[in-house]
Amino acid sequence: MQALQRVADANGGTRASGTSGYEESARYVEEQLRAAGYAPARQAISFRGEGRGKPRVESFNILAETGGDAGRTIVVGAHLDSVKEGPGINDNASGVAAVLETARWLKEAGISPANRVRFAFWGGEEDGLYGSQHYVDELSQAEVRQTAANLNVDMAASPNGVRSVHDGDGSDYGHAGPDGSGAMEEIFFRYFRENALPAETTPFDGGSDYDAFLSAGIPGGGLFTGDVERKTQAQAQAYGGTAGKDLDPCYHEACDTIANTNPELLTEMSGALAYATAAYAMAKTG
């Protein structure tokens, strides 16, 4: 996150898709992946922003993968871009950090996944989920069937945040993901239970990169620490922080800097992501 803050500082305070800040962010991620032993590749995307007269934006996703059975591919992703108005350190350099550390940890721990893990850093998310949608659109029907799960991290260090997991089985919010999404929810909750960390569910509201995967029938889920919602008294008792204050008071603003993050919460959410990624990477069935 500090590295991406420096990138934003050197590029007009933003890392939005199509800008020099995004390009430098991508180079940093690629360098880290190569140093860990991966061979990252760019997947080009092109989109036009909403509204009349918006210019076409040329951008890209970054993909890097492990060995393992390609017939059971696990996509672990976070969006790399920020909004134009700010550096996007909680949203979503924090998610990028969690995915990048998980990728490095798999290599450093010497884990040889039974199933292929594909790490994805999406472009165009803030403009309309374009990067992840393009990725799913480019999959053949066979590749869709071979994608076993999508784990998504969008905001993992909200300064007044909570630990939340997407409601895969729909038991709390009534909108379940495809079969298998409930199992993903349970794996995340298992991690938090085993570490005596309170956690709660958050709905699939279509607002992040899991959406294209769910629409294609791919099981999905992930982690989120909150944006414009106000923390309740019950949440403040469970997680600390300040009741009545936004979970992220700098959401989509110029003040979403490194100072707008909770490092302890990031560590906990990153641990949950690594735990779930390893579980899916080594799963033989189901």
Side-chain angles (χ1 to χ4, degrees), residues 125-146:
E125 192 271 355
E126 298 289 8
D127 299 277
L129 310 178
Y130 289 109
S132 52
Q133 186 65 62
H134 178 75
Y135 173 86
V136 173
D137 288 345
E138 289 295 297
L139 296 176
S140 67
Q141 283 302 306
E143 289 170 329
V144 169
R145 292 191 296 269
Q146 291 166 354

Side-chain angles (χ1 to χ4, degrees), residues 10 32 39 75 84 92 94 119 121 125 138 181 212 216 247 258-259 274 282 284:
Q32 297 300 308
V75 180
K84 291 182 175 62
N92 186 38
S94 65
F119 296 103
F121 302 85
E125 192 271 355
E138 289 295 297
S181 302
L247 300 179
I258 196 75
M282 303 310 296
K284 292 184 170 60

Side-chain angles (χ1 to χ4, degrees), residues 38-166:
Y38 294 92
R42 295 186 178 189
Q43 180 187 40
I45 59 174
S46 178
F47 58 89
R48 191 180 301 279
E50 296 180 3
R52 293 177 63 87
K54 289 284 188 178
R56 180 160 289 278
V57 176
E58 304 298 331
S59 190
F60 53 88
N61 302 319
I62 300 172
L63 306 173
E65 60 191 40
T66 68
D69 182 4
R72 288 189 54 78
T73 296
I74 317 303
V75 180
V76 181
H79 73 86
L80 180 57
D81 61 318
S82 74
V83 293
K84 291 182 175 62
E85 293 77 14
I89 304 304
N90 184 41
D91 184 18
N92 186 38
S94 65
V96 169
V99 174
L100 194 53
E101 280 300 309
T102 298
R104 294 192 342 184
W105 169 72
L106 280 182
K107 290 287 190 181
E108 291 170 359
I111 295 172
S112 297
N115 307 311
R116 179 172 67 181
V117 180
R118 178 170 284 163
F119 296 103
F121 302 85
W122 308 118
E125 192 271 355
E126 298 289 8
D127 299 277
L129 310 178
Y130 289 109
S132 52
Q133 186 65 62
H134 178 75
Y135 173 86
V136 173
D137 288 345
E138 289 295 297
L139 296 176
S140 67
Q141 283 302 306
E143 289 170 329
V144 169
R145 292 191 296 269
Q146 291 166 354
T147 305
N150 168 234
L151 283 64
N152 186 65
V153 190
D154 193 350
M155 304 175 65
S158 303
N160 194 38
V162 300
R163 302 177 204 95
S164 65
V165 175
H166 285 291

Side-chain angles (χ1 to χ4, degrees), residues 75 147-152 165-169 175-185 188 204 209-211 213-215 217-223 280:
V75 180
T147 305
N150 168 234
L151 283 64
N152 186 65
V165 175
H166 285 291
D167 182 23
D169 62 9
H175 183 194
D179 287 348
S181 302
M184 190 179 305
E185 176 189 347
F188 283 122
F204 284 130
D209 290 301
Y210 57 74
D211 196 54
F213 291 87
L214 301 185
S215 297
I218 296 167
L223 300 166
Y280 276 93

